[in-house]
Amino acid sequence: MGKHIHAHSEDGVGVIQLNRPQVLNALNRDMVHEIVTQLESFDRNESIKVIVLKGSEKAFAAGADIEEMMDATPLTLELLNPFAEWDKISLIKKPILAAVNGFALGGGFELALHCDLIIAAEDAKFGFPEVKLGVLPGAGGTQFLTKAMGVRKALEWLWLGESMTARTAYENGVINRVVAKELVVEETMSLAHKLAKQPPISLRLIKEAVHAAQDLPLQDGKNLERKNFYLAFASEDQKEGMRAFSEKRPASFKGG
């Protein structure tokens, strides 16, 4: 239990709830550190198969803590290197799902984009308002958004700093599902529990291959996929999955 987050697990799903309600879960450095530390803890915990990140009804996270940055200089930021902490999220091997209610702006939007799947409420709002403060996203926002929606659309949203609706985010491939706001957490947990029943080694190897596909030339990506395909044959789950198929029965995956 951190100062700025709550964490618990249920049936193989680790849940991290952002908990700075007085500032709509605005992310300060301590909070990001707590989130990353908890993600790493869940990643190491063999009983946890899938991780869910959620905010409150009003906000997933409404940006970064501006007060913390007011007096920063290029040199203080260089020495502090605050975004190195964010880079650790990309090293998490297990599926991370974001349940987004309300606002996911600035750093909050970046946190959601660091997750593998995003489920959002119909009235959720996503955006990068940094341009209105004379800056720009710094925790990967320009990169994640461009990879999700393409150069021209990303530029338009980043330059204007306006918020997009969940429907617009969905239509542009930025998020996975749009559901009624009362059902966001329920839908996310339902999806998480479905994934928790899948063979963990397969999920892990698929995640690595899919993320690599964004950056590698096609043949390099195919080579990585091939190696991961071969690696899956070292798992008990592969043997169980193929036996179950052959015997026409449901598979029971143990994670080995």
Side-chain angles (χ1 to χ4, degrees):
M1 194 71 68
K3 184 178 168 191
H4 302 307
I5 64 169
H6 292 155
H8 69 277
S9 63
E10 48 183 272
D11 297 330
V13 177
V15 180
I16 300 172
Q17 175 150 22
L18 310 182
N19 189 42
R20 287 186 84 206
Q22 69 283 7
V23 289
L24 296 178
N25 292 331
L27 300 164
N28 62 17
R29 288 172 200 135
D30 284 347
M31 188 177 185
V32 172
H33 176 70
E34 285 183 18
I35 292 165
V36 171
T37 301
Q38 188 59 57
L39 285 168
E40 290 174 332
S41 173
F42 280 151
D43 208 31
R44 289 190 301 268
N45 185 335
E46 287 186 11
S47 70
I48 300 296
K49 310 299 183 192
V50 181
I51 303 167
V52 167
L53 209 52
K54 65 179 183 175
S56 60
E57 284 182 24
K58 284 187 180 176
F60 178 71
D65 194 326
I66 304 302
E67 299 296 319
E68 205 173 45
M69 292 184 273
M70 293 278 282
D71 300 321
T73 70
L75 200 53
T76 61
L77 289 170
E78 168 64 27
L79 294 174
L80 188 64
N81 195 13
F83 300 119
E85 194 77 12
W86 289 78
D87 291 340
K88 295 176 184 176
I89 302 175
S90 301
L91 302 177
I92 302 296
K93 303 291 188 180
K94 292 173 183 174
I96 310 173
L97 280 57
V100 178
N101 271 302
F103 299 105
L105 303 176
F109 193 8
E110 286 173 310
L111 184 59
L113 288 169
H114 273 78
C115 298
D116 300 302
L117 304 179
I118 304 173
I119 291 82
E122 290 165 333
D123 62 350
K125 294 279 192 293
F126 298 87
F128 287 118
E130 283 88 342
V131 68
K132 297 175 182 178
L133 302 175
V135 291
L136 65 154
T142 62
Q143 307 304 298
F144 283 114
L145 195 64
T146 303
K147 286 177 187 293
M149 65 188 334
V151 170
R152 285 175 180 77
K153 290 194 174 180
L155 270 175
E156 185 178 353
W157 288 106
L158 289 156
W159 275 344
L160 290 171
E162 293 172 351
S163 294
M164 68 179 83
T165 63
R167 182 58 53 189
T168 299
Y170 173 77
E171 287 168 355
N172 284 281
V174 179
I175 67 176
N176 293 82
R177 300 184 185 182
V178 181
V179 298
K181 63 180 179 180
E182 303 82 20
L183 299 176
V184 175
V185 173
E186 189 181 323
E187 178 89 1
T188 307
M189 291 303 290
S190 170
L191 181 54
H193 286 304
K194 267 187 195 167
L195 291 173
K197 290 186 174 70
Q198 301 284 65
I201 300 295
S202 292
L203 296 184
R204 179 188 182 110
L205 297 177
I206 288 167
K207 175 168 173 169
E208 182 187 28
V210 169
H211 284 302
Q214 294 198 94
D215 302 312
L216 293 178
L218 180 58
Q219 191 58 49
D220 291 345
K222 282 163 56 177
N223 290 342
L224 172 66
E225 177 192 81
R226 208 160 293 163
K227 287 284 194 294
N228 281 6
F229 177 80
Y230 300 156
L231 188 53
F233 278 75
S235 70
E236 287 302 316
D237 282 343
Q238 171 268 327
K239 292 168 183 60
E240 162 62 10
M242 292 192 173
R243 265 198 310 265
F245 178 82
S246 175
E247 295 165 10
K248 298 182 171 52
R249 61 173 173 82
S252 174
F253 296 118
K254 299 286 193 288

